[in-house]
Amino acid sequence: MDILFHCAIVVFSLIISSTSAGEWRTHEYVVREHSLVKPYQGMGTTIPYWDFLGSTMVTNNYIRLTGDIQSQRGAVWNTVGCYLRNWEMQIHFKVHGRGKDLFGDGFAFWYVKDPMQEGDVFGSKDYFSGLAVIMDTYSNHNGPHNHGHPYISAMINNGSLHYDHDRDGTHTQLSAGCVSKFRNLDHDTFVSIKYVHDTLTVSTDIDNKQQFEQCFSVSGVKLPVGYFLGVSAATGDLSDTHDIISLKMFDLSTPDD
Ligand SMILES: [Ca+2]
């Protein structure tokens, strides 16, 4: 009886897992191993599929990459390589602090070859290989740009390019980005990074309208599969609190892909 019961459970589990394995591939389905949602905690103090670096602090309601304190670096990295060909990452974030005019430095989303590398580019490694989408809150403004801040842009790197903070990354950015006033808002703020058929589209939902508005879109972006997802943030002389509330990854591949 006991053995039969266990067999039944095993068979039942197999049916469940094969069904869900099929569902992961369908449109608009959150891919659990690349997502970070509440409640964060797994067994004990670890969070399944995610690693942490630097000043990162996990609470029940948010993951704090940096506090409103000078010279901090924090990151959260997916431990599983991403093999989705077409995907969308929705980041629910909150950037806030005491600074009215002076605050920084911002945070970045990463899809890179080498995860868990602390460094000077919003808390992560310079000369990275892969994609960075940068939410730069502080205008270092020694450069040629005349846009406002916070400014969202993207950078593709093969390991040879340096992110130049003095020019706010202007000479290495993939295309013109957009100004996005996402700091110190009372409502929820989101950024969406979508990669479908080699087109990278970055959108934001920061006006409490529950819909995404396009920031920029670039075609012909070639990214390999198997890289790692992460988010990092840094403060320097200036500071801000950079919180991540959730990371939701959607598989946008269709059976035709
Ligand atoms: Ca900057």
Side-chain angles (χ1 to χ4, degrees):
M1 187 64 193
D2 200 35
I3 288 168
L4 267 179
F5 181 67
H6 279 289
C7 285
I9 287 183
V10 168
V11 170
F12 186 64
S13 315
L14 284 174
I15 291 167
I16 296 267
S17 58
S18 63
T19 307
S20 36
E23 280 168 352
W24 295 143
R25 292 282 154 204
T26 58
H27 188 70
E28 299 271 299
Y29 211 96
V30 174
V31 184
R32 200 176 49 168
E33 64 265 39
H34 301 305
S35 298
L36 181 52
V37 294
K38 285 189 260 185
Y40 309 119
Q41 231 78 14
M43 298 295 279
T45 53
T46 62
I47 298 185
Y49 309 117
W50 296 91
D51 268 341
F52 301 91
L53 264 188
S55 52
T56 302
M57 203 179 75
V58 180
T59 75
N60 286 336
N61 295 311
Y62 52 82
I63 290 156
R64 182 151 293 171
L65 300 178
T66 78
D68 193 357
I69 299 163
Q70 290 181 319
S71 304
Q72 288 204 327
R73 285 170 174 178
V76 49
W77 284 99
N78 202 187
T79 56
V80 187
C82 180
Y83 287 86
L84 304 173
R85 296 206 169 267
N86 303 288
W87 48 263
E88 177 178 6
M89 175 62 94
Q90 291 183 2
I91 304 174
H92 182 185
F93 68 93
K94 189 173 177 67
V95 177
H96 54 111
R98 288 158 297 172
K100 284 211 165 60
D101 301 310
L102 291 172
F103 43 83
D105 291 316
F107 70 104
F109 163 82
W110 302 93
Y111 176 70
V112 294
K113 195 175 174 184
D114 305 309
M116 294 294 282
Q117 307 282 315
E118 213 177 301
D120 291 331
V121 185
F122 302 91
S124 286
K125 182 179 174 270
D126 199 1
Y127 299 101
F128 59 93
S129 292
L131 165 73
V133 176
I134 294 163
M135 278 54 74
D136 181 4
T137 51
Y138 176 63
S139 176
N140 300 68
H141 90 96
N142 299 317
H145 71 77
N146 55 6
H147 56 69
H149 276 257
Y151 192 73
I152 303 179
S153 64
M155 176 174 170
I156 297 283
N157 202 346
N158 61 4
S160 70
L161 297 173
H162 163 58
Y163 178 87
D164 187 352
H165 280 283
D166 290 341
R167 294 195 271 178
D168 293 309
T170 308
H171 69 302
T172 49
Q173 73 189 15
L174 201 52
S175 81
C178 71
V179 175
S180 182
K181 303 287 186 189
F182 55 66
R183 278 189 81 252
N184 280 350
L185 298 175
D186 288 331
H187 54 261
D188 293 333
T189 48
F190 303 84
V191 58
S192 150
I193 295 130
K194 200 187 274 195
Y195 182 65
V196 176
H197 298 153
D198 298 340
T199 296
L200 177 75
T201 305
V202 174
S203 309
T204 59
D205 172 6
I206 61 164
D207 297 323
N208 207 18
K209 287 183 191 157
Q210 282 72 52
Q211 64 183 42
F212 283 106
E213 272 178 47
Q214 187 174 306
C215 171
F216 64 88
S217 189
V218 193
S219 57
V221 176
K222 302 283 183 193
L223 295 172
V225 293
Y227 278 18
F228 293 86
L229 304 154
V231 182
S232 71
T235 63
D237 290 340
L238 300 172
S239 65
D240 237 348
T241 303
H242 298 93
D243 292 340
I244 299 299
I245 291 98
S246 70
L247 301 171
K248 285 185 185 171
M249 178 58 117
F250 299 90
D251 183 355
L252 299 188
S253 288
T254 60
D256 297 336
D257 288 316

